[in-house]
Amino acid sequence: KNNLLFFKNLTDTSPSNLQFANFQKNLSYLLKTLNKRFKKYLIVKGLGMRINYIQSLNILKLKLGFSHLITITVPSGIKVFKNKNLLILESSEASLVGNFANLIRNLRYPDSYKGKGLWYKNEIQILKPVKKV
């Protein structure tokens, strides 16, 4: 009625009230996050590291300083945008974006001395000092 959705609990037992409250809470969370977009930013630091995204095949090709090229198929719910050294992952599901970003980052975790690797955008890591003679 007038673009409003009403629910009413027909039974008055305590398990039923608990289930109804849980349903109401889950539904309100779903409606709040329906149009919300979650983003993760990954920065590629290091010489010779490149990202190539083929949108038609939905494949992400990563050159991360190893002897081989790494190819990853991007899940269907994630949109990928690429700048020179910035990779933006966007989706409506927070866990999907976070898990995929973590999978990519674990391929080349940042080095603790030089900082080469894949970094999250606002991540702060203290680099170890280089040994001086």
Side-chain angles (χ1 to χ4, degrees):
K1 152 175 169 181
N2 296 337
N3 292 332
L4 296 175
L5 188 62
F6 291 103
F7 289 98
K8 185 177 181 182
N9 191 3
L10 298 177
T11 59
D12 246 358
T13 61
S14 85
S16 174
N17 287 338
L18 222 126
Q19 286 176 343
F20 184 73
N22 196 13
F23 168 75
Q24 196 173 14
K25 186 174 83 171
N26 289 338
L27 184 67
S28 68
Y29 173 75
L30 179 73
L31 292 175
K32 283 179 188 175
T33 59
L34 193 62
N35 293 327
K36 191 172 182 181
R37 304 297 288 176
F38 297 97
K39 293 182 182 180
K40 286 280 185 177
Y41 297 91
L42 287 168
I43 298 172
V44 179
K45 286 187 181 179
L47 195 63
M49 296 192 191
R50 288 189 196 93
I51 299 171
N52 190 13
Y53 177 60
I54 303 169
Q55 192 170 7
S56 60
L57 300 173
N58 219 14
I59 291 178
L60 192 63
K61 291 188 177 183
L62 304 165
K63 184 163 176 31
L64 299 175
F66 301 121
S67 61
H68 58 282
L69 193 67
I70 300 169
T71 59
I72 299 174
T73 56
V74 180
S76 61
I78 295 179
K79 289 184 182 178
V80 177
F81 304 103
K82 180 191 94 76
N83 275 342
K84 288 183 181 179
N85 63 345
L86 182 68
L87 184 69
I88 304 168
L89 306 171
E90 182 180 302
S91 177
S92 59
E93 296 181 43
S95 60
L96 185 66
V97 173
N99 289 341
F100 188 65
N102 196 25
L103 176 112
I104 293 173
R105 186 168 187 257
N106 285 339
L107 295 172
R108 186 65 178 210
Y109 197 77
D111 181 30
S112 59
Y113 291 100
K114 290 184 179 180
K116 289 182 175 183
L118 295 165
W119 293 72
Y120 288 118
K121 187 175 182 184
N122 295 326
E123 180 180 16
I124 299 170
Q125 276 192 351
I126 299 169
L127 299 179
K128 293 180 182 177
V130 180
K131 186 176 179 181
K132 295 182 182 177
V133 179

